[in-house]
Amino acid sequence: MSTIVLIHGLWLTPRSWEHWVPYYESKGHRVLTPAYPGFDVEVEALRADPTPIATVTVPETIAHLERVITSLDEKPILIGHSFGGTFTQLLLDRGHGAAGVVIDSAPPEGIQVTPPSQIKSLFPILNNPAKRHQAAGLTPEQWHYAFTNTLSAEDSKAAYERYAIPASGSWVWHGLLANLKPGKQETWVDFRNADRAPLLFIAGGSDHTMPPSVNKSNAHHYKGEGTITGYIEFPGRSHWTCVDPGWEQVADTALDWALRHAR
């Protein structure tokens, strides 16, 4: 297995993987970090003009990721963070990937666990229905609570300035309403899909945005006969676990598990 595809989450771009790419490449792997459609510019450009964030849809993004993956000469390992974890689950359900790892994953349709810290983290978007059609950002203080609560205020501000962009309000609102609408929504997966590749959930014990209870519920929903679903929790790690000090342990755990179980 030589190819790894890293999928970023909301409020972020592929820059969030900038440490993981050389780390995995040094181990002999080819590493791809596809951006969402329209996100293939620098963080600073998206802050200046967030139009692509406001207009891109989940189906468009899935189709884009599928094109990237199916152009490869082998099934890659898929690793997704936050909403990138949702995309990883959707892609595995569609038959893509030799194995998948989701880190602090946002849930697909059907996961109804909603801890108070999650509501508080997402409230800057959920507090106004008008943001459903906008690109909505976080203040440095809101970012500190939602992403970097285990860092000092100074280190959190540095991370905010380096990585943070607005997020799609429609994606967040859709996640809130998906379980209230009849029929299959755009983040629906077949939890009983027996053909799905192995999938590992990694949760941060101090994650405010996607707490362990969300990831545990998500993992426990998978019931496909003969499938492999794992769960590992890192105590004291936040939603920013892919960049927080000690991220190497998370990267090693994800890759080692995926290589052992890839098919």
Side-chain angles (χ1 to χ4, degrees):
M1 183 61 55
S2 61
T3 305
I4 301 168
V5 176
L6 303 175
I7 306 173
H8 67 88
L10 286 178
W11 286 285
L12 298 169
T13 72
R15 185 185 287 183
S16 61
W17 297 114
E18 63 180 348
H19 301 309
W20 288 51
V21 172
Y23 189 70
Y24 281 162
E25 288 178 339
S26 71
K27 298 176 183 291
H29 298 280
R30 178 190 182 192
V31 185
L32 304 178
T33 58
Y36 302 163
F39 285 48
D40 48 353
V41 296
E42 294 297 335
V43 166
E44 294 76 14
L46 283 170
R47 289 176 184 156
D49 179 12
T51 303
I53 300 171
T55 57
V56 70
T57 68
V58 168
E60 287 172 343
T61 305
I62 279 289
H64 170 69
L65 294 172
E66 285 186 301
R67 286 192 293 271
V68 171
I69 293 167
T70 56
S71 71
L72 302 173
D73 56 8
E74 65 177 351
K75 282 192 172 185
I77 289 171
L78 306 179
I79 301 178
H81 171 248
S82 195
F83 211 99
T86 306
F87 284 132
T88 298
Q89 294 182 64
L90 292 168
L91 290 164
L92 291 178
D93 188 44
R94 298 180 184 203
H96 304 296
V101 180
V102 296
I103 303 169
D104 301 332
S105 182
E109 180 187 350
I111 310 304
Q112 299 185 5
V113 175
T114 310
S117 70
Q118 185 181 44
I119 294 296
K120 182 175 179 178
S121 296
L122 301 177
F123 193 70
I125 288 182
L126 299 178
N127 65 354
N128 185 349
K131 292 181 180 178
R132 189 174 179 179
H133 308 289
Q134 300 173 3
L138 301 174
T139 66
E141 293 75 23
Q142 291 164 344
W143 165 273
H144 194 189
Y145 181 85
F147 275 80
T148 54
N149 51 293
T150 59
L151 297 182
S152 68
E154 180 180 4
D155 288 343
S156 176
K157 182 66 179 304
Y160 178 85
E161 292 175 349
R162 173 80 182 146
Y163 299 103
I165 62 169
S168 168
S170 67
W171 292 17
V172 176
W173 273 93
H174 174 87
L176 175 69
L177 299 175
N179 294 325
L180 303 178
K181 295 180 178 179
K184 299 175 182 178
Q185 305 303 308
E186 58 192 18
T187 58
W188 182 88
V189 299
D190 180 3
F191 291 120
R192 297 187 178 275
N193 182 355
D195 295 324
R196 173 185 57 79
L199 172 61
L200 173 66
F201 285 79
I202 293 180
S206 297
D207 186 346
H208 284 165
T209 302
M210 298 297 163
S213 59
V214 176
N215 281 261
K216 286 179 183 176
S217 177
N218 197 162
H220 290 160
H221 271 68
Y222 280 100
K223 306 292 185 183
E225 183 177 357
T227 57
I228 298 172
T229 307
Y231 175 86
I232 296 174
E233 186 174 321
F234 283 90
R237 297 196 67 83
S238 69
H239 198 62
W240 196 230
T241 193
C242 296
V243 189
D244 268 350
W247 61 265
E248 296 91 342
Q249 184 183 6
V250 180
D252 286 341
T253 298
L255 181 58
D256 292 346
W257 191 96
L259 290 173
R260 286 200 315 272
H261 294 92
R263 68 181 196 188

